[in-house]
Amino acid sequence: MMRDQKPKNQATNSPREKFYLDKKKMLYMWPMALHIYHKAKKINKKNKKDPLAYSEQYRYDWLSKQVQKALPLFGVEIQVAGIENWLDRGVVLMPNHESNFDAIALLAINDFSKQQPVAFIAKKELWDDKRASRFLNLIDTIPLDRQSPRSALAAFREAKDLIVDYKRSLVLFPTGTRSGSNDVGEMQPAAFKLPQMANAPIIPVTIINSYQVFEYPRKNKHVVVKVVFGKPIYGKKHLATSTTDLATLIKNQIEKNRDEYIDQELMPLKELRMSEKKQAKRHQKKHKSKKRKFSDFFKIID
């Protein structure tokens, strides 16, 4: 995570973002939202007194589920491809950065039983907001002072420990700033020092349409955010590659997957998080319904 660079023809560092809420759904979902907010406070309070009050798995699973529940409030559906490429070991996930929803999408997709839990490097200003810090403290997040090179080095060292010692899936946005579109920003070569330090696989992640979630003014009430996990690049390859060449390689893969999947319908997150038995039953129902429709067609002809 390097210091933000101002995009061309823009006076501010990042595009303006604003929450969109479905007012009709909010009428009956606000008790749930309020419960989530207070439950996060309760978990933090208890864990400060006793770090084992709520296990790590409980905190990750709980937060991931609450994010999934909240998606309808924001008119968002998440679709996924290439989830098998998310290795169950210490890795560095390197996505393009369209909006602040990118981290939320990865947290929603993260399945503690199938992948190592996600960890983030986040700007330290987020901890000044009590509402944000309440959720940040539930998972592994590393504060970064973007004005201090020393802070960046310390953050990288802590991130390396999380990857190597605790086998985390460390999320690092190599562009450093949001694009506000499906265009992939310029990669910062310095960001690729982290996977080299940890000798960890890099997984290119393509995020599509997340900029529409916070688009202001909001054009689409229903937004389909697609997340595509590319094939891992292992340490043997990226250790022998310069950070500049590695940045180009990752950008090319992200853009290639964007072009390939932008118009395709992918697996919905709801189906992805189903058990294998439920997925099998769902496919059987679809197959039966197709058969019925086909036979009914011949009955009509007769």
Side-chain angles (χ1 to χ4, degrees), residues 2 6 27 30 45 64 68 78 80 84 89 92 105 122 126 131 154 169 173 183 186 199 202 222 240 264 269 284 299:
M2 299 293 100
K6 292 183 179 180
L27 284 174
W30 70 264
K45 190 175 181 180
S64 181
Q68 292 171 56
I78 297 177
V80 185
E84 68 279 1
R89 55 180 288 190
V92 179
L126 290 175
R131 292 171 296 180
S169 299
F173 296 101
D183 293 333
E186 289 302 316
N199 190 20
I202 298 173
H222 180 74
Q264 289 190 35
L269 177 60
Q284 284 178 357
K299 286 180 182 178

Side-chain angles (χ1 to χ4, degrees), residues 2-268:
M2 299 293 100
R3 186 180 301 179
D4 282 352
Q5 295 179 354
K6 292 183 179 180
K8 294 179 181 179
N9 303 322
Q10 289 188 13
T12 56
N13 283 347
S14 301
R16 183 180 179 183
E17 294 186 347
K18 186 176 181 179
F19 274 105
Y20 165 87
L21 289 174
D22 187 317
K23 293 179 181 179
K24 290 182 181 179
K25 290 179 181 177
M26 192 62 186
L27 284 174
Y28 65 86
M29 291 183 74
W30 70 264
M32 179 202 74
L34 193 63
H35 170 73
I36 292 172
Y37 183 73
H38 287 298
K39 182 66 180 286
K41 181 180 180 181
K42 178 183 177 181
I43 295 173
N44 275 305
K45 190 175 181 180
K46 283 196 172 184
N47 270 68
K48 278 185 180 180
K49 294 181 180 179
D50 178 12
L52 299 178
Y54 290 92
S55 70
E56 178 183 67
Q57 181 169 356
Y58 177 88
R59 287 183 279 114
Y60 269 95
D61 282 342
W62 180 82
L63 187 55
S64 181
K65 286 177 183 177
Q66 306 321 309
V67 170
Q68 292 171 56
K69 287 179 183 178
L71 291 178
L73 275 175
F74 306 112
V76 178
E77 176 190 348
I78 297 177
Q79 296 182 358
V80 185
I83 191 67
E84 68 279 1
N85 292 322
W86 188 342
L87 305 174
D88 186 19
R89 55 180 288 190
V91 297
V92 179
L93 299 174
M94 286 197 152
N96 57 308
H97 200 8
E98 292 190 0
S99 76
N100 283 328
F101 186 78
D102 300 337
I104 297 172
L106 290 169
L107 183 59
I109 296 168
N110 189 205
D111 186 341
F112 198 97
S113 66
K114 295 179 180 178
Q115 305 99 24
Q116 292 298 315
V118 288
F120 298 93
I121 297 176
K123 57 185 180 182
K124 71 170 188 176
E125 290 86 355
L126 290 175
W127 276 264
D128 296 331
D129 185 336
K130 290 183 179 180
R131 292 171 296 180
S133 62
R134 185 169 293 184
F135 295 97
L136 287 170
N137 291 331
L138 293 176
I139 60 176
D140 290 303
T141 47
I142 303 169
L144 170 68
D145 181 353
R146 293 177 294 176
Q147 305 301 320
S148 169
R150 288 186 179 182
S151 175
L153 183 59
F156 269 32
R157 286 174 177 167
E158 189 174 348
K160 176 195 170 186
D161 291 340
L162 282 176
I163 298 165
V164 176
D165 298 333
Y166 297 93
K167 311 304 179 187
R168 292 293 179 263
S169 299
L170 199 287
V171 180
L172 183 62
F173 296 101
T175 59
T177 189
R178 291 164 279 146
S179 65
S181 70
N182 278 325
D183 293 333
V184 180
E186 289 302 316
M187 303 283 169
Q188 299 182 18
F192 293 86
K193 290 181 180 179
L194 175 59
Q196 290 184 335
M197 286 168 60
N199 190 20
I202 298 173
I203 301 176
V205 182
T206 303
I207 298 177
I208 303 169
N209 295 339
S210 81
Y211 74 94
Q212 295 179 10
V213 177
F214 295 111
E215 198 171 32
Y216 184 79
R218 178 85 171 254
K219 295 178 182 178
N220 301 316
K221 289 185 178 180
H222 180 74
V223 175
V224 177
V225 175
K226 300 176 183 180
V227 182
V228 181
F229 296 88
K231 293 183 179 180
I233 300 171
Y234 293 92
K236 288 182 180 179
K237 183 172 182 178
H238 69 62
L239 283 173
T241 309
S242 70
T243 54
T244 302
D245 291 340
L246 199 53
T248 302
L249 175 64
I250 296 298
K251 183 178 181 180
N252 289 341
Q253 289 206 15
I254 290 174
E255 290 179 332
K256 179 183 176 183
N257 285 334
R258 176 201 61 194
D259 296 341
E260 181 178 351
Y261 291 98
I262 194 167
D263 294 322
Q264 289 190 35
E265 186 174 345
L266 311 181
M267 180 178 284

